[in-house]
């Protein structure tokens, strides 16, 4: 397990070639924008031939505006790891190098089970997001983050044969409630990976899907050794990504539960250019 005892000297000796970076609460500021410090540092890293790869729980289409801000949109040989690792796409034409959806009947069973809690639910397909029981707080949180379609469907039959399910989400800001839901539905989750994100989401994905495996798959595709990768994150769904990377960077505003998985923790928060700080220290410093 990684600890903070590792020194900066040890890590700066390695030529990092790929940066896998979480979006919300990491690259993005609290208002869902990207600060100029991050934009400038990422541009310099790209100029040095570094891959900057958004690694997100969202779908790849939902971060188009982020890719455009970073001048990555439509770029050949630049990539996004999305849906927490179940999809890898090239930015040029959104072609998938990897795609693993949830089995439809299993997704439907999970969704129907979760409807009894009357909480906000998200349904992610490859190209769309559907939301049931959206709350004012959730609507405010998603502002400038993604577009979605509201639904009142009590099962997923409206998508059968039309769209594959990437993942499901149920929302509550008390994580103890989310943990209790996982315990209650344990019998359904033998072929499912669960994780938590943004201190409000419980996510259901295919077994074996996580950001770490997504990072490993992309690194193999690009013939980059794991020790030459850097991961930057803030929350529970970033743990496997931090474990898989050669250098694991946690932003200052991280969830304390992931601190032990980080080699380095930035002085800056997501609102202060934490991603830029990591790039400046470990990519751009001679």
């Amino acid at each position: 397990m990684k600890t903070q005892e590792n020194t900066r000297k040890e890590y700066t000796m390695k030529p990092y070639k790929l940066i896998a970076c979480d979006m919300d609460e990491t690259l993005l500021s609290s208002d869902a924008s990207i600060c100029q410090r991050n934009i400038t540092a990422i541009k310099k890293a790209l100029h040095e031939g570094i891959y900057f790869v958004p690694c997100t729980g969202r779908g790849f289409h939902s971060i188009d505006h982020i890719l455009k801000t970073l001048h990555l949109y439509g770029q050949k040989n630049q990539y996004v790891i999305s849906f927490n690792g179940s999809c890898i796409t090239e930015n040029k034409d959104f072609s998938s190098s990897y795609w693993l959806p949830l089995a439809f009947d299993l997704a439907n069973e999970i969704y129907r089970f979760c409807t009894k809690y009357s909480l906000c639910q998200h349904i992610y397909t490859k190209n769309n997001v559907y939301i049931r029981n959206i709350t004012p707080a959730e609507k405010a949180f998603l502002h400038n983050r993604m577009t979605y379609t509201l639904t009142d469907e009590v099962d997923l039959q409206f998508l059968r044969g039309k769209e594959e399910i990437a993942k499901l989400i149920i929302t509550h800001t008390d994580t103890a409630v989310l943990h209790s839901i996982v315990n209650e539905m344990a019998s359904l989750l033998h072929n499912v990976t669960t994780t938590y994100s943004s201190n409000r989401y419980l996510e259901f994905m295919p077994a074996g899907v996580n950001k770490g495996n997504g990072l490993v798959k992309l690194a193999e595709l690009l013939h980059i050794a794991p020790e030459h990768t850097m991961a930057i994150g803030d929350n529970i769904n970033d743990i496997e990504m931090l474990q898989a990377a050669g250098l694991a960077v946690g932003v200052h505003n991280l969830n304390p539960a992931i601190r032990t998985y980080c080699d380095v923790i930035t002085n800056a928060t997501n609102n202060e250019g934490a991603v830029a700080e990591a790039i400046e220290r470990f990519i751009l410093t001679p």
Side-chain angles (χ1 to χ4, degrees), residues 221-240:
L221 176 70
L222 299 175
H223 305 292
I224 296 174
E227 59 265 30
H228 294 152
T229 65
M230 177 194 298
I232 312 174
D234 77 291
N235 221 312
I236 302 295
N237 65 330
D238 299 319
I239 288 175
E240 291 86 358

Side-chain angles (χ1 to χ4, degrees), residues 1-3 239 242-243 248-249 257-263:
M1 183 176 295
K2 297 182 176 183
T3 71
I239 288 175
L242 296 169
Q243 290 177 307
V249 179
I258 76 163
R259 184 175 296 272
T260 189
Y261 300 98
C262 299
D263 299 311

